[in-house]
Amino acid sequence: MVVTERTAFYFPWEINTDMVKDGTSVRTYGRLTSYVPEESKAVLSGQQSSAQCHMSVQTTLVEPFQPILGAQYFVLGEIEKTDGLSGVLLRSRALTCVDGVDLTLMQQAIVEQRRFFKERETKMNVQAPCCESPPT
Amino acid sequence: MMAVNPGGADAEEPPSMLWGLDPVFSAYSRLYITDILQMKESRQVPGVYFYKTHPLFQVDVLGTVVYKREREDFYCYGVDDSTGVINCLCWKDEKWRDQGEPTKCRDPSGSSRGFNIEDELKRLKEAERQSTVLEIGDLLRVRGTVKTSRDAREIKATSFYKVSDPVMAVQISHMLDMPQLYRKCYDQPFQMPSDDLGGTEAGGSSHFHYLLSRSVLILKEFLLEKEVARFRPYDVEFLLHPLIPSSSAEQESDQPRTSFATQIRKLLKETLSVLQDEGQIFRKMRTQDEVYNVTEQDKDLHTAIKDVLREDTKREKYAEKGCHVLHILSSVRQRYSQNLSREVLEVALTFLECNSDIISTTEAHYTVL
């Protein structure tokens, strides 16, 4: 399978929002809180200030893997938004345990990268206001 | 709608002659994959690309493997750094070719009785082999040349390795470093040396030195090719025109602007001075008329030298050892030109010796055959 769609970094609390469209390839991270091998479903949790958020991850493509409950994981895959109650599903293509990762620094890095691309977009819009800006 | 290219080169590419002056050109540039995919190929030299005003052809990327294709001689990995995905061609190592299936050691647990060297070697070989083969999800670092093949950009790896990044420290620091790298380096314009010649003293700026070395070479080549025996400065002035961009006279600078003609005249003056010091050209007579003789083409000078040697080596004093350079110099000065410098004579003597007209008996003595 040849993949040409890039995977931009998103925070776990952004996955369930409108920021991420159906079918988008994303990369994100979270703490493994549950894993059901029979259904190939895992749940990754993230925390923003005091609020907890969860994302459903489909693990068919990355099995077998050694689940370490409570550990931080890095995940890369496609978002599937269903109308049903199940909410948002992340079909993972890569799932790596990164327990010990510095979450604060990671957040800082993502923000820094976004800021850079935003700056670049603004500069380009200033130079050529009539042109459509590229997707970030 | 026109897609805007963030790394788009200006319509005017810097001339290829100056590319070596940009450090980015010689380095493996650490660019975002999206920029590598979008950068334009040079119109002057295919195989070289431009990110803004920087020419480059080698890159260094870090990203996740998102697909893998195996060919007989190489692996083709799709590398995704979160800004884009690019094909990387990574050659297979010769030594693993004949390995076949990884061999299992007799005691995989490792807790054997004693140290079994064979098993340990097998384990080491296996570990080495593992580090060269990547799977989807692994972190890969690739350094290589950029190639465009069938409209698709790819990187032909000159070196690559699987990065061990258990707590994502490498990827995080990469994300923090890149914007800085762009701000400090890649997004800074390539300073094309277009200093105003007029404002700097001879030899004062390295740019002038560069121009001077080029002009000396150009002039030398011209004189040789066209077998020029004598010339005046305005005869050869045109040769230096390509070195001074005519637009530089229109550029804004805080130095007092000097005209194109003044710059050319100054460069020419310095060039002729260098060639004189080297002995390649000389002025036979110091008159108002600025005429230069080309040492290697001046037949009269050659004849004068040969005559001196022929006559003087007949004398007993010089018969065996030949004439010393200084003796030849004073004799030729009397016969031919008082202004002759030692450098000019040395150039002429070397030339005559290469033609086998004369021969050197010691480092500073010459005689005729």
Side-chain angles (χ1 to χ4, degrees):
Chain A
M1 183 176 72
V2 169
V3 179
T4 48
E5 189 73 44
R6 68 184 187 111
T7 52
F9 242 122
Y10 286 97
F11 291 113
W13 49 89
E14 292 172 333
I15 300 292
N16 286 320
T17 66
D18 287 332
M19 231 183 120
V20 183
K21 294 193 179 51
D22 187 24
T24 318
S25 297
V26 302
R27 52 175 76 194
T28 187
Y29 59 93
R31 199 163 52 86
L32 185 67
T33 50
S34 87
Y35 176 51
V36 184
E38 298 83 29
E39 287 175 42
S40 295
K41 284 257 167 69
V43 175
L44 293 181
S45 309
Q47 182 139 13
Q48 186 191 24
S49 6
S50 51
Q52 277 265 340
C53 61
H54 309 276
M55 1 167 208
S56 297
V57 178
Q58 194 189 66
T59 55
T60 333
L61 294 172
V62 298
E63 276 159 358
F65 79 102
Q66 276 285 12
I68 305 170
L69 289 176
Q72 286 287 339
Y73 275 81
F74 166 81
V75 64
L76 192 155
E78 276 65 52
I79 290 290
E80 194 180 281
K81 293 197 168 177
T82 55
D83 293 326
L85 295 163
S86 45
V88 177
L89 182 69
L90 209 172
R91 290 190 190 279
S92 64
R93 288 187 271 125
L95 187 62
T96 321
C97 179
V98 293
D99 204 36
V101 61
D102 186 338
L103 289 174
T104 326
L105 204 58
M106 163 91 101
Q107 208 169 315
Q108 210 181 311
I110 296 171
V111 166
E112 179 62 31
Q113 185 162 306
R114 283 183 180 176
R115 184 153 55 104
F116 175 73
F117 281 101
K118 189 85 197 173
E119 261 173 37
R120 186 193 260 195
E121 197 185 313
T122 333
K123 264 185 233 158
M124 280 193 310
N125 283 339
V126 164
Q127 283 169 7
C130 59
C131 299
E132 188 181 84
S133 52
T136 35
Chain B
M1 286 267 199
M2 199 174 77
V4 181
N5 182 355
D10 301 324
E12 194 74 47
E13 277 180 18
S16 59
M17 193 168 78
L18 302 177
W19 288 351
L21 296 171
D22 188 355
V24 171
F25 187 61
S26 325
Y28 283 93
S29 309
R30 293 173 63 191
L31 296 172
Y32 286 117
I33 289 178
T34 180
D35 291 335
I36 299 173
L37 293 171
Q38 290 186 64
M39 58 191 187
K40 286 213 179 78
E41 193 159 7
S42 162
R43 281 196 304 269
Q44 296 170 71
V45 181
V48 173
Y49 302 83
F50 274 92
Y51 175 75
K52 297 217 161 119
T53 56
H54 294 283
L56 58 106
F57 62 101
Q58 293 173 125
V59 292
D60 181 342
V61 298
L62 177 77
T64 314
V65 176
V66 291
Y67 63 81
K68 170 183 168 180
R69 281 199 297 247
E70 186 173 349
R71 296 278 177 273
E72 199 185 313
D73 294 332
F74 61 91
Y75 285 108
C76 182
Y77 296 113
V79 176
D80 179 344
D81 72 347
S82 86
T83 68
V85 181
I86 193 164
N87 244 357
C88 293
L89 307 176
C90 302
W91 295 96
K92 285 187 186 173
D93 201 341
E94 281 287 324
K95 61 180 171 181
W96 305 126
R97 210 179 279 246
D98 309 314
Q99 285 295 316
E101 281 300 305
T103 48
K104 292 264 182 273
C105 14
R106 272 181 293 137
D107 192 353
S109 66
S111 59
S112 57
R113 291 153 259 143
F115 180 76
N116 187 330
I117 193 94
E118 243 181 70
D119 280 347
E120 293 303 318
L121 270 174
K122 279 202 193 115
R123 248 207 294 270
L124 176 65
K125 262 212 170 118
E126 186 52 35
E128 260 189 285
R129 191 179 168 282
Q130 286 291 356
S131 73
T132 63
V133 180
L134 288 100
E135 300 303 328
I136 294 180
D138 285 342
L139 192 63
L140 176 63
R141 173 118 184 250
V142 178
R143 299 182 113 210
T145 47
V146 180
K147 293 255 176 324
T148 308
S149 152
R150 278 176 261 160
D151 284 338
R153 273 292 142 84
E154 14 184 68
I155 301 176
K156 202 166 103 168
T158 53
S159 65
F160 66 97
Y161 61 92
K162 177 155 73 176
V163 180
S164 165
D165 197 17
V167 296
M168 288 190 79
V170 175
Q171 286 173 87
I172 291 171
S173 89
H174 181 85
M175 275 198 279
L176 288 168
D177 286 344
M178 293 293 274
Q180 287 287 60
L181 206 54
Y182 270 79
R183 284 186 196 113
K184 287 198 184 131
C185 180
Y186 304 125
D187 285 343
Q188 294 294 329
F190 167 27
Q191 291 291 0
M192 256 198 287
S194 49
D195 298 338
D196 202 323
L197 277 181
T200 60
E201 53 168 26
S205 94
S206 61
H207 169 58
F208 185 73
H209 267 133
Y210 160 77
L211 279 184
L212 190 58
S213 58
R214 283 215 57 86
S215 63
V216 165
L217 199 65
I218 288 169
L219 208 53
K220 264 195 213 170
E221 283 172 0
F222 174 79
L223 295 172
L224 182 67
E225 202 188 304
K226 303 288 180 195
E227 293 178 12
V228 177
R230 277 202 316 272
F231 67 92
R232 289 190 177 80
Y234 61 69
D235 293 329
V236 296
E237 196 187 289
F238 73 98
L239 292 167
L240 306 184
H241 286 189
L243 291 177
I244 313 275
S246 50
S247 60
S248 74
E250 297 149 24
Q251 261 180 5
E252 287 170 32
S253 72
D254 20 330
Q255 286 168 336
R257 239 175 305 147
T258 51
S259 69
F260 176 75
T262 318
Q263 289 183 59
I264 287 282
R265 229 176 299 132
K266 184 181 150 91
L267 183 61
L268 184 59
K269 182 161 162 259
E270 292 302 321
T271 309
L272 292 173
S273 173
V274 168
L275 287 171
Q276 275 191 292
D277 292 341
E278 284 182 11
Q280 298 286 338
I281 62 177
F282 65 97
R283 283 177 69 179
K284 191 169 171 189
M285 287 185 294
R286 291 233 174 274
T287 59
Q288 284 275 59
D289 194 8
E290 205 181 332
V291 180
Y292 291 91
N293 288 41
V294 180
T295 313
E296 288 183 358
Q297 311 287 348
D298 194 336
K299 300 278 186 285
D300 293 337
L301 174 63
H302 303 164
T303 312
I305 295 172
K306 284 191 277 195
D307 286 345
V308 166
L309 285 174
R310 216 176 296 120
E311 287 163 24
D312 286 355
T313 48
K314 285 200 185 105
R315 289 155 63 181
E316 212 184 291
K317 189 175 170 187
Y318 304 111
E320 207 180 302
K321 205 173 177 190
C323 303
H324 189 267
V325 165
L326 292 174
H327 170 82
I328 304 172
L329 185 62
S330 69
S331 304
V332 173
R333 268 185 183 157
Q334 282 170 20
R335 280 171 196 248
Y336 185 71
S337 163
Q338 274 300 331
N339 299 319
L340 212 73
S341 71
R342 184 172 175 171
E343 287 74 34
V344 171
L345 184 67
E346 303 260 15
V347 169
L349 288 169
T350 311
F351 177 76
L352 288 171
E353 194 176 8
C354 289
N355 282 348
S356 300
D357 288 330
I358 66 176
I359 196 166
S360 59
T361 51
T362 76
E363 214 178 290
H365 290 80
Y366 290 85
T367 186
V368 280
L369 291 158

